[in-house]
Amino acid sequence: MSPAPAYDVVVAGGGPAGCAAALALVQAGRTVLLADAGTGPPKAGEALVPVARLLLADLGVERSVLGTGHLPCHGNLSAWGSAELHAVDFLHDPYGHGWHLDRGLFDRRLRAAARAAGADLAEHTAVRRPARQPDGTWRLALRDRSRGDEERTVRCRWVVDATGRGAAIAVRAGARRRTGDRLTALHLTLDPAAQHDADGRSLVESDQDGWWYTALLPSRRRLVAYFTDPDLPVAGGRGAERFRDRLLATRHVVGRARPHGLTHLPPPRRAAAHTAHLDRVHGDGWTAAGDAAAAFDPLSSQGILTALYTGLSAGRAVDARLHGDRTALAGYAAQVATARTAYRHDHRVVHARETRWPDRPFWARRQQHSPPDARTLPNTPHTKGRTSP
């Protein structure tokens, strides 16, 4: 007879989705190991929409996670569909303001909350070689980078894949990754301005080959990012001069960036920003959440919101499945599908509002199936969390 599993659930991935799943599971009385690999470059400049406050409150971590260290975001600015700047503020939003996050701090606080709630936390630890056992449990190797890649083995009844866009566990289990576009971000972080920069609103500005995003960070540094397709000439190479020249040609972003210094810029970094999803978000003993299940274009401002929502929902569905509810995971898959459907509609609507460059490849690719009412709507790309629960 096989030994009893050490955990009910192992959650692979210590970002917002993994932490939300772990919190939901330990709150349901499950034994949970949360494994955070901690690999990849640090994330900067991510925003959290106001409605996310509800999800954090459901998890019992709103105050501990959204305390000091983040910068309030009171609205969004956009030059989209025209050269003029349009504003959407959160003054009358029932959930209050949003946040420009110190992403590292946000994730650390979420992991600390999961540990305080009762999850075992393994930091700098990747889940390797997941193997389904004859008794229906999993055997997993945990590789700890902080201990020279030392490995140990654990067993569990279920695995939650929150490993990000790569969906390492789900793909290994036979799921297939589907991509909707090839959007890529070229980004860099500028030094703090010599004089105090007080505008905490984000700004989006489209151009003929993509769109720009800039936001002030809690550190008072400024993120500047350009989103385009990697096969277009504008995305070729990572030279600082090419990036700077294109930034200087913007009408609005350059005004926010110039006080932070544009004379000596480092080469921009490159990051994947494409829309993607799994063909199925659960299987034999596993469930995917966050970007592993569905990754959205950053224009939607829904990345972290979706991660929290799918993590919380996945955790509750796995708990129900372990209690014997064989419909729980199908219900979770339907929730993810509903969110994706709403996102796809919003994505088409927003891109159809930009009509100035219909023959440029970037825009032509995104306007082939635009809804007929798109051009009558306000010119702002931010959806403010429409696909939230």
Side-chain angles (χ1 to χ4, degrees):
M1 181 179 293
S2 300
Y7 298 96
D8 289 324
V9 183
V10 168
V11 179
C19 291
L23 281 162
L25 286 159
V26 296
Q27 288 167 1
R30 297 295 174 185
T31 56
V32 178
L33 171 68
L34 176 61
D36 176 47
T39 56
K43 295 182 179 180
E46 298 207 39
L48 192 65
V49 293
V51 72
R53 187 191 304 271
L54 292 182
L55 295 176
L56 294 171
D58 282 349
L59 292 167
V61 299
E62 178 188 357
R63 290 188 178 182
S64 62
V65 171
L66 291 178
T68 59
H70 308 299
L71 184 68
C73 176
H74 295 286
N76 303 313
L77 300 169
S78 63
W80 191 277
S82 77
E84 300 304 314
L85 205 57
H86 299 265
V88 173
D89 65 60
F90 299 147
L91 183 62
H92 301 295
D93 193 296
Y95 307 112
H97 61 73
W99 297 266
H100 294 300
L101 297 177
D102 179 329
R103 181 58 192 277
L105 177 65
F106 182 77
D107 287 3
R108 288 194 300 272
R109 285 177 174 171
L110 278 174
R111 290 193 292 270
R115 178 164 52 190
D120 284 352
L121 176 61
E123 296 193 283
H124 310 293
T125 299
V127 175
R128 294 285 186 265
R129 300 192 300 279
R132 200 76 165 128
Q133 301 300 294
D135 65 355
T137 64
W138 287 93
R139 183 177 182 274
L140 308 169
L142 302 180
R143 182 176 298 171
D144 188 341
R145 290 189 301 111
S146 67
R147 296 173 177 257
D149 288 338
E150 177 182 301
E151 285 195 0
R152 61 187 175 100
T153 300
V154 298
R155 299 174 69 92
C156 65
R157 299 171 63 188
W158 210 271
V159 177
V160 172
D161 184 348
T163 59
R165 291 173 182 269
I169 307 296
V171 170
R172 188 181 179 99
R176 294 187 178 182
R177 196 77 171 143
R178 310 294 191 191
T179 57
D181 55 60
R182 299 177 61 196
L183 190 69
T184 297
L186 302 174
H187 64 96
L188 54 80
T189 303
L190 305 177
D191 292 333
Q195 295 182 340
H196 183 63
D197 189 341
D199 192 346
R201 295 174 295 180
S202 63
L203 191 156
V204 169
E205 180 178 351
S206 54
D207 75 7
Q208 60 187 0
D209 295 311
W211 53 275
W212 289 88
Y213 172 85
T214 185
L216 195 63
L217 305 179
S219 63
R220 298 295 169 178
R221 293 162 66 88
R222 177 169 287 277
L223 175 75
V224 178
Y226 184 62
F227 295 85
T228 188
D229 289 335
D231 62 326
L232 300 182
V234 65
R238 296 169 60 179
E241 287 304 313
R242 176 178 294 194
F243 187 88
R244 180 178 179 273
D245 289 345
R246 198 158 189 105
L247 172 58
L248 291 173
T250 63
R251 181 170 181 173
H252 303 287
V253 173
V254 67
R256 270 69 179 176
R258 198 183 299 277
H260 294 262
L262 299 179
T263 304
H264 302 291
L265 295 182
R269 304 180 74 167
R270 187 181 294 262
H274 57 273
T275 300
H277 69 279
L278 288 175
D279 63 347
R280 52 195 174 102
V281 295
H282 66 90
D284 183 21
W286 64 268
T287 306
D291 280 355
F296 295 161
D297 185 324
L299 189 65
S300 68
S301 298
Q302 294 175 17
I304 298 179
L305 176 72
T306 303
L308 292 170
Y309 173 52
T310 56
L312 172 62
S313 301
R316 290 174 173 174
V318 169
D319 173 61
R321 177 64 183 84
L322 292 176
H323 272 302
D325 183 352
R326 294 189 173 275
T327 67
L329 294 173
Y332 168 67
Q335 289 176 301
V336 175
T338 297
R340 286 187 50 241
T341 297
Y343 161 76
R344 288 197 303 270
H345 175 270
D346 289 346
H347 188 267
R348 291 194 300 269
V349 166
V350 167
H351 284 85
R353 293 173 190 162
E354 182 49 86
T355 60
R356 290 176 288 173
W357 305 288
D359 297 328
R360 301 293 292 190
F362 180 88
W363 298 104
R365 292 166 180 172
R366 288 158 175 81
Q367 295 173 348
Q368 293 175 352
H369 306 290
S370 299
D373 60 338
R375 298 181 188 183
T376 67
L377 299 175
N379 287 319
T380 175
H382 299 278
T383 59
K384 296 177 66 177
R386 199 177 80 80
T387 63
S388 61

